[in-house]
């Protein structure tokens, strides 16, 4: 698979910046609330652990069939990072498929940031020839389900590791930014 570009994405209020290792310190504070792990498990990373993780992510997938795309979410008006969005893109069937995910720090939740970021991400993926977008969401995580729905994904009725698969076919028509 040819590598897709991780380029900045702008939306009305947000800048999705390609992930860099030096984002780790600020992102450790953004993601420090243990409640963010209610549905995904684990615990918040220390700045050092997050730095090591970001070093792995920015090097890209060791599997040439996968392309890792990662961004931090910057809220322009407050000049701060608020979360991340990501996509793992692979060839499947007759085109590219992307599995996406998002997380927004507790302080910034309820302001539409995840929705705006997810829409921006899906729009970019559509312009990069991705044919289908999927997300796996815990059935009790209603906020993430609302984000998926707002980004045009719908539940499929298929389950993976206790999470419901949501999907959107992008076809050949790019969605606006």
């Amino acid at each position: 698979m040819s590598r897709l570009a991780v380029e900045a994405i702008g939306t009305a209020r947000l800048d999705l910046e390609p992930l860099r290792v030096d984002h780790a310190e600020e992102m450790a504070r953004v993601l420090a609330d243990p409640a963010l792990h209610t549905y995904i498990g684990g615990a918040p990373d220390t700045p050092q652990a997050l730095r090591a993780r970001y070093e792995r992510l920015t090097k890209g997938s060791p599997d040439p069939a996968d392309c890792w795309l990662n961004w931090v979410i910057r809220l322009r008006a407050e000049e701060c990072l608020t979360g991340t969005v990501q996509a793992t893109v692979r060839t499947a069937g007759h085109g590219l498929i992307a599995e996406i995910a998002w997380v927004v720090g507790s302080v910034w939740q309820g302001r539409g940031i995840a929705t705006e970021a997810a829409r921006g991400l899906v729009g970019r993926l559509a312009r990069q020839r991705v044919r289908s977008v999927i997300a796996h969401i815990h059935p009790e995580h209603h906020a993430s389900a609302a984000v998926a729905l707002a980004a045009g994904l719908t539940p499929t009725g298929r389950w993976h590791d206790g999470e419901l698969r949501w999907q959107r076919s992008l076809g050949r028509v790019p969605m606006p930014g």
Side-chain angles (χ1 to χ4, degrees):
M1 153 189 249
S2 63
R3 294 288 178 202
L4 298 176
V6 182
E7 298 170 345
I9 302 170
T11 68
R13 299 177 299 152
L14 309 173
D15 290 316
L16 307 184
E17 300 174 4
L19 179 72
R20 297 186 320 261
V21 174
D22 67 353
H23 287 128
E25 184 88 24
E26 185 175 357
M27 285 306 301
R29 291 188 300 274
V30 170
L31 303 175
D33 185 355
L36 291 174
H37 296 267
T38 300
Y39 299 107
I40 60 173
D45 284 329
T46 64
Q48 297 79 14
L50 203 53
R51 177 175 284 280
R53 181 171 173 225
Y54 287 2
E55 286 173 355
R56 287 189 306 277
L57 290 173
T58 57
K59 287 179 183 174
S61 173
D63 183 343
D66 290 345
C67 182
W68 292 346
L69 308 172
N70 294 276
W71 293 263
V72 291
I73 304 167
R74 182 174 300 281
L75 181 58
R76 250 183 254 116
E78 296 182 27
E79 298 180 358
C80 64
L81 299 181
T82 61
T84 63
V85 291
Q86 63 188 47
T88 297
V89 181
R90 65 183 52 93
T91 302
H94 297 290
L96 299 176
I97 186 167
E99 183 165 352
I100 65 172
W102 50 86
V103 62
V104 170
S106 299
V107 173
W108 296 277
Q109 290 180 3
R111 296 169 56 178
I113 292 170
T115 295
E116 189 172 329
R119 284 178 173 163
L121 173 58
V122 169
R124 172 59 55 91
L125 293 170
R127 289 187 293 279
Q128 290 188 309
R129 304 173 328 276
V130 171
R131 299 294 302 265
S132 184
V133 175
I134 63 171
H136 290 94
I137 300 172
H138 190 282
E140 294 177 19
H141 199 323
H142 304 296
S144 273
V147 169
L149 191 61
L153 284 77
T154 56
T156 64
R158 294 173 53 194
W159 294 86
H160 178 74
D161 290 337
E163 294 182 320
L164 181 59
R165 179 180 171 136
W166 290 64
Q167 187 165 349
R168 175 178 175 181
S169 293
L170 297 175
R172 298 181 186 271
V173 180
M175 154 180 171

